[in-house]
Amino acid sequence: MIRLTTSTRARRSMRATAMLSVALAGVLALGACSSATPANQNGSSNSPSPKAVNEQARALLPADVTQRGTLRMTGDFQYRPFDYMEGNERRGFDFELGNMVAESLGLKPQWETTSSFGAIIPSIQNSRFDAALASINVTPARLQAISFVTYLRTHDVLVVAKGNPGHLDASDLCGAHLSVETGSSQVQLLAAYSDDCVQHGKKAITRDEYGTADAMYLSVQSGRSSGISVASPVAPLMVAQSKGALEEAGDVTVFDTGKLMRSANLGVAIAKGDGALGKAVAAAIKALQSDGSFDALLKKFNLTPDAKVPAEFVTN
């Protein structure tokens, strides 16, 4: 990526920031993920539950959710440490945070796995689910379609095959051959990056799109592509669990500037117009951040405390 012109910055500001859902081979089991009623649906036994129902937050809930008694949540469960599968069991920071939020609101957590990351936002828009927790970046483009409750901040790290056979440079991705997941905001971000490369006399970025995160990972492992840009909490886990097949190649930065390509908040996705639910979820997470429950969850999944951002309901 290069130093951007004013027009390029304006164009890019309206594009979604990077988000790549990456699962390691042998971890992801799509057959199990497609079930509407999988094992460990509630998962409350795995979560550090809040001490009691947060009555102030519960009072903010819309009447239909209170009467139903459940919080319907979704994710694609392909992205350690946020949401992933272990056999038939759901796991991850986002999964357990969702359980804690539901329980603190006096609701039963009810989970269903979407078929792909790209299906998550439409499933919130059509009210199939109340909320989605899947390490989703808050971006201007997504705020046109849905609302968010913020909770963490991440940046991108370049992950490559051991020895970096493609000789990728995390500070200059021009000419790189990268894997991206269909439906992710990385598609738009890398398209803009590639355009800038060409405009400044550099080679375009070759982008191979894959429908699932594990297919994307396998493309790098097999040498079909040279790297993947992933969220900073994910990269160390991916490398550790690759058994020597992968390595980190540095923080992804804008070349000639040294600035991070992406530094973005993650948010719980909420349907636009569902402000009451958004405010209730924000109040619940804010209380969990204050009483130590949120920090305990960060520690459990080896996430750093400085990644935490205040829970705020964000909408357009």
Side-chain angles (χ1 to χ4, degrees), residues 108-131:
K108 181 179 180 181
Q110 181 178 329
W111 287 91
E112 185 174 329
T113 304
T114 52
S115 58
S116 67
F117 179 77
I120 292 175
I121 290 177
S123 74
I124 294 296
Q125 289 180 291
N126 64 24
S127 299
R128 181 179 177 186
F129 303 107
D130 302 311

Side-chain angles (χ1 to χ4, degrees), residues 82-202:
F82 294 104
D83 60 331
Y84 59 96
M85 300 294 294
E86 283 188 354
N88 292 326
E89 300 293 314
R90 292 188 174 98
R91 295 284 187 264
F93 179 89
D94 282 346
F95 172 63
E96 296 199 18
L97 177 62
N99 289 337
M100 292 168 65
V101 168
E103 291 161 6
S104 69
L105 292 173
L107 302 171
K108 181 179 180 181
Q110 181 178 329
W111 287 91
E112 185 174 329
T113 304
T114 52
S115 58
S116 67
F117 179 77
I120 292 175
I121 290 177
S123 74
I124 294 296
Q125 289 180 291
N126 64 24
S127 299
R128 181 179 177 186
F129 303 107
D130 302 311
L133 293 89
S135 185
I136 305 172
N137 287 345
V138 180
T139 70
R142 286 177 177 153
L143 281 168
Q144 298 301 313
I146 57 175
S147 300
F148 287 97
V149 176
T150 57
Y151 60 99
L152 284 179
R153 192 165 188 84
T154 69
H155 64 274
D156 274 21
V157 172
L158 181 65
V159 172
V160 298
K162 188 69 175 178
N164 194 8
H167 306 292
L168 296 192
D169 181 353
S171 67
D172 183 353
L173 292 179
C174 293
H177 187 172
L178 303 176
S179 294
V180 296
E181 186 176 19
T182 302
S184 71
S185 55
Q186 188 76 356
V187 174
Q188 289 79 25
L189 184 69
L190 287 177
Y193 194 148
S194 185
D195 288 346
D196 290 332
C197 291
V198 173
Q199 289 173 13
H200 288 79
K202 290 177 172 280

Side-chain angles (χ1 to χ4, degrees), residues 207-284:
R207 304 176 303 280
D208 291 342
E209 291 191 30
Y210 294 91
T212 63
D214 66 330
M216 192 168 54
Y217 160 75
L218 290 172
S219 75
V220 175
Q221 187 182 42
S222 66
R224 291 194 300 273
S225 58
S226 299
I228 310 172
S229 179
V230 297
S232 47
V234 175
L237 289 171
M238 180 189 302
V239 170
Q241 296 182 34
S242 72
K243 298 180 179 179
L246 301 175
E247 64 181 39
E248 293 184 45
D251 295 339
V252 178
T253 59
V254 181
F255 67 84
D256 290 344
T257 69
K259 294 180 180 179
L260 292 171
M261 182 182 73
R262 176 184 72 97
S263 181
N265 286 338
L266 303 182
V268 179
I270 304 288
K272 236 176 170 26
D274 207 348
L277 178 61
K279 291 174 183 177
V281 170

